[in-house]
Amino acid sequence: MKGNGANAIQRGRGLGPNAALIGEPGGLTRITTPALVLRLDLFERNLARMGEFLRGRGLKIRPHSKTHKCSEIAKRQIAAGALGTCCATLREAEAMVAAGIAGVLITSPVVGAAKVERLARLNMAADGLMVVADNPENVRELAHTVRAGGGELTVLVDVDVGMQRTGVATIAAAVELAKQIDTSDGIRFGGIQGYSGMVQHIEDYDDRAATYGVHLDRFAATAAALTEAELAPAIVTGGGTGTIAIDAARGVINEHQAGSYIFMDVEYNLIEIVEDRGAPPFATALTMRNTVVSANAEGFVTIDGGFKCFATDGPFPELCDGAPEGAKYSYFGDEHGRIEFANDGETLPVGSQVELVTPHCDPTVNLHDYIHAVRGDVIENIWRIDARGVL
Amino acid sequence: MKGNGANAIQRGRGLGPNAALIGEPGGLTRITTPALVLRLDLFERNLARMGEFLRGRGLKIRPHSKTHKCSEIAKRQIAAGALGTCCATLREAEAMVAAGIAGVLITSPVVGAAKVERLARLNMAADGLMVVADNPENVRELAHTVRAGGGELTVLVDVDVGMQRTGVATIAAAVELAKQIDTSDGIRFGGIQGYSGMVQHIEDYDDRAATYGVHLDRFAATAAALTEAELAPAIVTGGGTGTIAIDAARGVINEHQAGSYIFMDVEYNLIEIVEDRGAPPFATALTMRNTVVSANAEGFVTIDGGFKCFATDGPFPELCDGAPEGAKYSYFGDEHGRIEFANDGETLPVGSQVELVTPHCDPTVNLHDYIHAVRGDVIENIWRIDARGVL
């Protein structure tokens, strides 16, 4: 071990098998795989471009942690101007609060006595914790449990704007639930959420804007009805990476939840986020690095990444480095992938490494424990994916 | 907290949010979800039935840990007569050895200087560690590195019997590699592996036996050529849950690698493992328990399990408890699933729980951190999935 290796081991405790490579010249080329790699130059550019885009458009951002599940990334987003961070689960919120992050909004209803009790405890430790709700019984349980613990928690009404996944189904129900929150001891009414996951990946911008426009109309009407009822929502939150430009143009929401813009992936690279309409051109900052582990067949080789390395709900991973032009990835079981070459005689030696754009970044990151943050071929840092896990 | 609750908290340290429920009457009904649940009665029956089936058939079992990634389960398999455990990755092997498990066979080539060094270190700590190889350069690196550390490691030749994922491509190459292993200081020749993942899920037994028969013929010819070359393989290993009956009938392999038989899943429940031909009738011992988190739509409700809870490479999860007859699961994003009811007016209240058979057990288990081992409605124990992670 040379240079700053000894320091690296100190700093690297608990950061996995690549900890000793932190700061080493050429460390990336010797990385143990399968490894999530984040190009810091591109990541920082994505953060800056989102900031530039939002400035002057009356839209703030509380970006979604479900994408990265990594408090180190949430901290960098906040340093770049984010209000806090959104979390999909109580587990994510606990990890973010434990890392000292303020302004956490849990964007799915937290249901069941055990989870509501954990939420009430978390609220006592947290600065500016918020949760959404879409059900009167859940609101009663939230109020009762938080009050019993001596705290107060901000609750937003989750509004179904068209996807029917979570959220109240009608404007009347939204007003009713907001009133219940507003008049319950232990909780306070914080605003409304309307997230439309289904429109994020509609490829054509105009199609996306048309479908999403109907959802935003419904959301705007909900906000108006609440204002009418003297419950004007302070926070009106929603949006994803696929709707940034539409959200900025429409002005219905005042807080944006985009997550994937920091990484990008095959799915988001397929759609028009639309530079020409003012949305920022985000770069693919996250890749998977894999190693060729077998090369005895003709026309293809086997790498160390399959169903346990890449999320399989979306398109296939796409090769972006280390393989001949035209080579294609396909799944080859739980632990393996196959790289098929376009031309006769092409191959890759056992031990060589390739990089791939992740298919759907959120559930892919969830399969891993570490993000390797690199600049050039130096591993500058390794960040634990400290909010992974579903419980 | 009543009864043995205080003890449960002591025992439960580090076992997740359900630790306090261990031993509590009715604990399962109050479990925090999404939770992997293992019915111990069925799991133990599966272990016993595999033992009964193998006895008298000249076939031993070194079951595959890639299914469960849980040293507590590997220990129970060994207590039921297994020779040790198979591992797909170095990471799994490190976790199994750390838990005190002997007889670990790593069934994929371990490639690259950093991993080979870890393997050599692991070998010094392990009892009976073995690895497969399919490449002369990799064998040279294994021998060199293990020898430099003062150890000796058993290496098996990985033989491609038809899937072309890993393994040497010809009988001549198998003999050549076995000779190289046999004559290299630091490593010893332990036998051969021929695994045919592609045939495991061919639904019809006769079709499966026909395709797999060709693979077994090739594997038998490889073993014969090695014997001819005075390198008779002591271990001839392969097989999966889908080929147990065929492997027992054919007698080519002497060690079986089946993994999924302990849990079963939607995929394996689709195929004939064929009771009538002597293969044991394994029960579905593993399920996912989820909670209804939103119920504002007509005809369906939303539960807390999506792409980050279930592996999406196979069929859909199947409801097996808690929902009306005929209800179907479908994905509803990263964190949510949708339960669609068969009949008008059916619903489930927010907070109620359902159970589902996992679609493909191996990559589903890999998404989680804990297995909740239950008997009736008592959580008897919680086991960490201590070998999960890809690095």
Side-chain angles (χ1 to χ4, degrees):
Chain A
M1 182 116 5
K2 288 179 282 181
N4 51 5
N7 277 345
I9 281 189
Q10 279 305 315
R11 271 184 289 135
R13 204 177 283 276
L15 296 178
N18 292 309
L21 295 175
I22 295 175
E24 294 289 308
L28 178 61
T29 63
R30 302 197 300 279
I31 199 169
T32 290
T33 65
L36 275 175
V37 171
L38 183 66
R39 271 20 199 219
L40 286 170
D41 292 346
L42 300 178
F43 166 71
E44 289 162 2
R45 201 171 80 190
N46 288 343
L47 287 185
R49 285 190 174 172
M50 181 61 97
E52 284 157 30
F53 179 76
L54 296 179
R55 252 192 305 281
R57 284 182 165 86
L59 194 53
K60 302 230 168 187
I61 187 164
R62 194 183 306 267
H64 219 303
S65 286
K66 68 180 178 182
T67 299
H68 52 70
K69 289 186 176 251
C70 173
S71 59
E72 289 290 338
I73 290 183
K75 286 178 184 173
R76 281 158 180 80
Q77 291 176 305
I78 291 166
L83 296 166
T85 196
C86 288
C87 291
T89 64
L90 179 58
R91 162 86 189 96
E92 287 174 16
E94 287 172 337
M96 294 297 153
V97 170
I101 289 168
V104 170
L105 165 62
I106 304 176
T107 61
S108 298
V110 171
V111 170
K115 279 196 179 167
V116 170
E117 279 162 29
R118 275 166 66 189
L119 178 64
R121 280 198 300 275
L122 182 66
N123 185 50
M124 299 303 283
D127 180 9
L129 182 68
M130 300 181 280
V131 69
V132 305
D134 74 358
N135 174 279
E137 186 46 52
N138 180 235
V139 166
R140 261 189 294 278
E141 192 168 28
L142 285 172
H144 173 81
T145 309
V146 171
R147 195 171 59 234
E152 197 177 28
L153 175 66
T154 301
V155 180
L156 278 65
V157 172
D158 189 15
V159 178
D160 171 25
V161 292
M163 193 185 184
Q164 298 190 287
R165 188 165 67 189
T166 64
V168 294
T170 64
I171 292 176
V175 173
E176 207 50 50
L177 203 64
K179 278 185 186 161
Q180 184 190 346
I181 295 166
D182 187 55
T183 56
S184 298
D185 289 339
I187 55 177
R188 68 176 85 83
F189 176 59
I192 53 177
Q193 167 180 272
Y195 178 66
S196 183
M198 63 190 283
V199 306
Q200 298 301 323
H201 293 96
I202 298 176
E203 288 192 25
D204 180 77
Y205 180 91
D206 292 323
D207 289 351
R208 197 175 339 124
T211 304
Y212 187 44
V214 179
H215 299 180
L216 283 177
D217 290 344
R218 195 174 312 171
F219 201 32
T222 308
L226 284 162
T227 303
E228 181 75 17
E230 295 185 356
L231 286 163
I235 294 176
V236 182
T237 180
T241 296
T243 59
I244 292 165
I246 307 164
D247 287 310
R250 284 292 309 270
V252 175
I253 71 174
N254 58 20
E255 278 194 22
H256 209 274
Q257 299 188 5
S260 304
Y261 74 99
I262 55 166
F263 292 153
M264 297 303 283
D265 58 22
V266 174
E267 262 183 0
Y268 268 118
N269 286 338
L270 283 173
I271 76 161
E272 295 184 87
I273 296 181
V274 284
E275 264 170 273
D276 56 333
R277 292 171 211 246
F282 299 113
T284 307
L286 186 77
T287 58
M288 192 71 67
R289 196 160 171 114
N290 290 94
T291 300
V292 176
V293 295
S294 188
N296 293 325
E298 214 152 288
F300 61 88
V301 296
T302 300
I303 65 171
D304 61 353
F307 304 144
K308 291 178 181 170
C309 180
F310 298 103
T312 56
D313 61 293
F316 278 20
E318 282 180 3
L319 284 154
C320 59
D321 195 39
E325 189 74 24
K328 298 256 181 247
Y329 174 93
S330 58
Y331 289 98
F332 219 172
D334 286 3
E335 285 87 8
H336 296 104
R338 174 175 151 139
I339 296 182
E340 191 146 5
F341 301 103
N343 303 301
D344 283 354
E346 287 177 342
T347 189
L348 284 168
V350 167
S352 58
Q353 299 195 343
V354 294
E355 287 193 30
L356 300 104
V357 181
T358 66
H360 178 186
C361 59
D362 303 30
T364 297
V365 169
N366 182 54
L367 292 164
H368 295 262
D369 293 312
Y370 312 100
I371 291 173
H372 302 84
V374 310
R375 218 177 286 276
D377 64 2
V378 175
I379 302 172
E380 202 171 282
N381 222 324
I382 300 175
W383 298 328
R384 282 194 66 84
I385 302 169
D386 49 349
R388 72 152 293 289
V390 294
L391 273 177
Chain B
M1 181 116 4
K2 288 179 278 181
N4 50 6
N7 277 346
I9 281 189
Q10 279 307 314
R11 272 184 287 135
R13 203 176 283 277
L15 297 179
N18 292 309
L21 295 174
I22 295 175
E24 293 290 308
L28 178 62
T29 63
R30 303 197 301 278
I31 199 168
T32 291
T33 64
L36 275 175
V37 171
L38 183 66
R39 257 77 194 176
L40 286 170
D41 292 345
L42 299 177
F43 165 70
E44 290 161 3
R45 201 171 80 189
N46 288 344
L47 286 185
R49 285 192 173 169
M50 181 60 97
E52 283 157 30
F53 178 74
L54 296 179
R55 251 192 305 282
R57 284 182 166 88
L59 195 53
K60 303 232 167 184
I61 188 164
R62 193 183 305 267
H64 219 302
S65 287
K66 68 180 178 183
T67 300
H68 52 70
K69 288 184 177 255
C70 173
S71 60
E72 288 291 339
I73 289 183
K75 286 178 185 173
R76 281 157 180 80
Q77 291 176 304
I78 290 167
L83 295 166
T85 196
C86 287
C87 291
T89 65
L90 179 58
R91 162 85 189 96
E92 287 174 17
E94 286 172 338
M96 294 297 152
V97 170
I101 288 168
V104 170
L105 166 62
I106 304 176
T107 61
S108 299
V110 171
V111 169
K115 279 196 180 167
V116 169
E117 278 162 31
R118 275 165 67 190
L119 179 64
R121 280 198 299 276
L122 183 65
N123 186 49
M124 299 303 283
D127 181 8
L129 181 67
M130 300 181 281
V131 69
V132 305
D134 74 357
N135 174 279
E137 187 47 52
N138 181 235
V139 166
R140 261 190 292 278
E141 191 168 29
L142 286 173
H144 174 79
T145 309
V146 171
R147 197 172 56 232
E152 198 177 27
L153 175 66
T154 301
V155 180
L156 278 65
V157 172
D158 188 15
V159 178
D160 170 25
V161 293
M163 193 186 184
Q164 299 190 286
R165 188 164 67 187
T166 64
V168 294
T170 64
I171 292 176
V175 173
E176 206 52 47
L177 203 65
K179 278 185 186 163
Q180 184 191 345
I181 296 166
D182 188 54
T183 55
S184 298
D185 288 341
I187 55 177
R188 67 176 87 82
F189 176 59
I192 54 177
Q193 166 179 272
Y195 177 65
S196 183
M198 63 189 281
V199 306
Q200 298 302 323
H201 294 96
I202 298 176
E203 288 191 26
D204 180 76
Y205 179 92
D206 293 322
D207 289 351
R208 197 177 335 127
T211 304
Y212 187 45
V214 178
H215 298 179
L216 284 176
D217 290 344
R218 197 174 309 173
F219 202 31
T222 308
L226 284 163
T227 304
E228 181 73 18
E230 295 185 355
L231 287 163
I235 294 177
V236 181
T237 179
T241 296
T243 59
I244 292 164
I246 307 165
D247 286 309
R250 284 292 307 271
V252 175
I253 71 174
N254 59 21
E255 279 194 23
H256 210 274
Q257 298 189 5
S260 305
Y261 73 100
I262 55 167
F263 291 154
M264 298 304 282
D265 58 23
V266 174
E267 261 184 359
Y268 268 118
N269 286 339
L270 283 173
I271 76 161
E272 297 183 85
I273 298 183
V274 283
E275 263 170 275
D276 56 331
R277 293 171 210 246
F282 299 113
T284 306
L286 186 78
T287 58
M288 193 71 67
R289 197 162 170 112
N290 291 94
T291 300
V292 175
V293 295
S294 187
N296 292 326
E298 213 151 290
F300 60 89
V301 296
T302 300
I303 64 169
D304 60 354
F307 303 145
K308 291 178 181 170
C309 180
F310 297 103
T312 56
D313 61 293
F316 279 20
E318 282 180 4
L319 284 154
C320 59
D321 196 39
E325 188 75 21
K328 299 256 180 244
Y329 173 93
S330 58
Y331 290 98
F332 219 173
D334 286 2
E335 285 86 9
H336 296 105
R338 174 174 151 138
I339 295 182
E340 190 144 8
F341 301 104
N343 304 301
D344 283 354
E346 288 177 340
T347 190
L348 284 169
V350 168
S352 59
Q353 299 195 342
V354 294
E355 287 194 32
L356 301 103
V357 181
T358 66
H360 177 185
C361 58
D362 303 30
T364 298
V365 169
N366 183 55
L367 292 164
H368 296 261
D369 293 311
Y370 313 100
I371 292 173
H372 302 84
V374 310
R375 218 177 287 276
D377 64 2
V378 175
I379 302 172
E380 203 171 281
N381 221 323
I382 300 175
W383 298 327
R384 281 193 67 84
I385 302 169
D386 49 351
R388 73 152 292 289
V390 294
L391 275 176

